[in-house]
């Protein structure tokens, strides 16, 4: 589940590791030495790496002026997608443990469910079309899991529920990580950590380089917290609409990305410590969650 057909890509990335390697000094478990050691005591959120403000004034507003961000529709949609995936996986795990042992049974009992509507309600998303899109996402996951259950049962006829869950569903959804050793928040939440040294993040918007940076941040935080090597990142871009689409982007979390993550982390930490206003860019994106503060308020 979520990792279908990614094996070939991972094989290619393994070859990249063999050719280029990953420098030990850039592993998260070297958090007590530069360049991984934080430049000051500031702790930032992973989402700070993904901001839309060209001058990073969003960071100044959030940490220095303590302004509240106004979540835009993209942020709410992203939150909803994460919650639906999490709740659906947990629900289906429970279903398998409580005796649902065929794809047909899973579809009969779980194809229709209120999870997407409950999530919309909890986030105050009051748009029938969006909730319908989320129902499609929910059903897409149910169908994938149902098909996998049948596949596993036909391949290994004597498996029990524990084996089925272990073979088709990710072991940990929203894995908590203490990122404080590398200057990140104490309570990071990674979408999925797999046993193959791959970390996974779901995205509901368009592809951005910053998404690779934030996944690199999770990798270093995990290396620092667990003293393990994390080599690969997988971004899964989810499109909902007429059809549900999952587009995967797998990459090696190599030296270049690690250095870039550390540079941006330091830049943000220094900006917060200095307390100075970096000013506005010539034009602000309308969807920036501080648009009202910078362009209609008093700041
Ligand atoms: S509204 Fe403009 S200046 Fe303010 S944070 Fe957003 S992009 Fe930056």
């Amino acid at each position: 589940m979520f990792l279908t057909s990614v094996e070939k890509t991972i094989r290619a990335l393994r070859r990249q590791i063999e050719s280029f390697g990953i420098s030990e000094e850039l592993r998260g478990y070297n958090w007590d030495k530069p360049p991984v050691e934080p430049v000051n005591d500031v702790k930032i959120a992973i989402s700070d790496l993904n901001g839309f403000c060209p001058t990073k004034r969003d960071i100044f507003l959030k940490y220095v002026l303590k302004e509240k961000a106004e979540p835009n529709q993209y942020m709410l949609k992203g939150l909803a997608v994460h919650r639906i995936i999490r709740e659906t996986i947990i629900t289906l795990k429970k279903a398998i443990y409580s005796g649902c042992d065929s794809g047909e049974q899973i579809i009969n009992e779980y194809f229709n469910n209120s999870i997407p509507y409950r999530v919309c309600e909890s986030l105050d998303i009051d748009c029938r079309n969006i909730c319908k899109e989320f129902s499609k996402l929910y059903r897409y996951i149910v169908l994938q899991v149902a098909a996998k259950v049948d596949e596993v049962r036909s391949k290994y006829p004597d498996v029990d529920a524990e084996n089925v869950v272990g073979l088709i569903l990710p072991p940990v959804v929203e894995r908590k990580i203490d990122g404080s050793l590398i200057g990140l928040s104490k309570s990071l939440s990674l979408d999925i950590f797999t046993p193959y040294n791959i970390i996974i993040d779901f995205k509901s918007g368009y592809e951005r380089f910053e998404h690779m940076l934030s996944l690199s941040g999770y990798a270093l935080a995990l290396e620092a917290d667990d003293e393990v090597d994390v080599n690969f990142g997988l971004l899964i871009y989810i499109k909902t609409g007429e059809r549900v689409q999952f587009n995967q982007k797998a990459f090696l979390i190599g030296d270049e990305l690690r250095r870039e993550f550390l540079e941006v982390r330091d830049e943000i930490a220094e900006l917060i410590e200095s307390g100075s206003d970096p000013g506005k860019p010539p034009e602000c994106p309308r969807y920036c969650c501080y648009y009202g503060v910078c362009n209609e308020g008093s700041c």
Side-chain angles (χ1 to χ4, degrees):
M1 181 76 195
F2 301 124
L3 282 178
T4 43
S5 78
V6 84
E7 293 83 358
K8 274 191 196 138
T9 319
I10 296 297
R11 196 174 305 153
L13 294 174
R14 282 219 176 91
R15 289 204 192 103
Q16 280 188 37
I17 287 207
E18 279 160 23
S19 310
F20 305 110
I22 295 175
S23 304
E24 279 293 293
E25 56 158 18
L26 296 171
R27 293 284 193 186
Y29 41 74
N30 280 316
W31 53 268
D32 54 348
K33 297 185 246 339
V36 178
E37 185 180 22
V39 282
N40 55 31
D41 291 334
V42 167
K43 308 282 179 257
I44 63 168
I46 284 279
S47 58
D48 296 333
L49 304 159
N50 288 331
F52 289 102
C53 181
T55 59
K56 296 208 170 9
R57 190 164 199 254
D58 53 341
I59 303 292
F60 166 77
L61 294 171
K62 176 179 170 185
Y63 289 95
V64 182
L65 297 192
K66 315 267 184 229
E67 288 283 351
K68 270 206 154 322
E70 185 68 43
N72 58 37
Q73 53 160 326
Y74 304 107
M75 291 163 76
L76 289 176
K77 207 171 164 182
L79 258 179
V81 164
H82 280 86
R83 280 193 198 171
I84 289 166
I85 291 175
R86 182 174 197 276
E87 286 198 30
T88 308
I89 290 175
I90 291 172
T91 301
L92 294 176
K93 274 187 183 176
K94 281 186 192 158
I96 295 168
Y97 279 125
S98 60
C100 252
D101 62 0
S102 73
E104 187 184 6
Q105 204 179 347
I106 286 178
I107 291 170
N108 285 343
E109 293 182 26
Y110 291 91
F111 194 64
N112 291 310
N113 193 287
S114 61
I115 287 176
Y117 291 93
R118 269 193 283 118
V119 168
C120 281
E121 209 175 275
S122 69
L123 291 170
D124 256 345
I125 297 176
D126 186 20
C127 172
R128 275 202 73 74
N129 284 344
I130 294 186
C131 294
K132 266 193 198 158
E133 285 181 19
F134 292 159
S135 286
K136 283 186 190 164
L137 171 64
Y138 167 81
R139 287 176 181 164
Y140 178 92
I141 300 172
V142 172
L143 289 174
Q144 297 287 318
V145 171
K148 284 272 175 194
V149 167
D150 285 345
E151 193 185 309
V152 165
R153 288 220 169 264
S154 96
K155 193 169 174 189
Y156 309 106
D158 54 350
V159 285
D160 59 14
E162 173 73 2
N163 296 138
V164 175
V165 167
L167 285 166
I168 65 176
L169 288 163
V172 188
V173 187
E174 293 201 357
R175 155 78 207 259
K176 294 290 173 202
I177 309 168
D178 179 355
S180 59
L181 291 173
I182 62 155
L184 298 177
S185 145
K186 227 179 154 31
S187 180
L188 303 177
S189 203
L190 171 69
D191 286 347
I192 290 179
F193 177 54
T194 75
Y196 321 106
N197 263 1
I198 305 170
I199 54 175
I200 301 179
D201 205 9
F202 297 112
K203 296 285 170 201
S204 57
Y206 58 89
E207 277 191 32
R208 292 177 67 207
F209 171 71
E210 287 79 359
H211 296 156
M212 291 167 75
L213 276 194
S214 46
L215 207 46
S216 306
Y218 281 122
L220 269 84
L222 202 50
E223 288 177 344
D225 201 19
D226 281 11
E227 299 274 337
V228 292
D229 286 353
V230 180
N231 299 332
F232 309 118
L234 180 64
L235 289 164
I236 300 182
Y237 288 91
I238 301 172
K239 276 203 182 122
T240 54
E242 270 308 296
R243 280 189 308 128
V244 176
Q245 283 176 285
F246 278 56
N247 293 320
Q248 300 176 339
K249 184 183 174 78
F251 57 95
L252 175 71
I253 304 174
D255 286 5
E256 209 175 312
L257 266 177
R258 287 166 184 264
R259 279 208 183 86
E260 192 130 359
F261 157 72
L262 293 169
E263 261 173 43
V264 177
R265 175 204 65 176
D266 293 349
E267 188 192 346
I268 293 174
E270 279 164 356
L271 193 157
I272 297 169
E273 194 177 43
S274 79
S276 48
D277 185 349
K280 291 197 239 177
E283 217 174 315
C284 295
R286 195 68 184 82
Y287 49 79
C288 176
C289 51
Y290 287 105
Y291 191 89
V293 177
C294 295
N295 295 285
E296 290 153 17
S298 52
C299 291

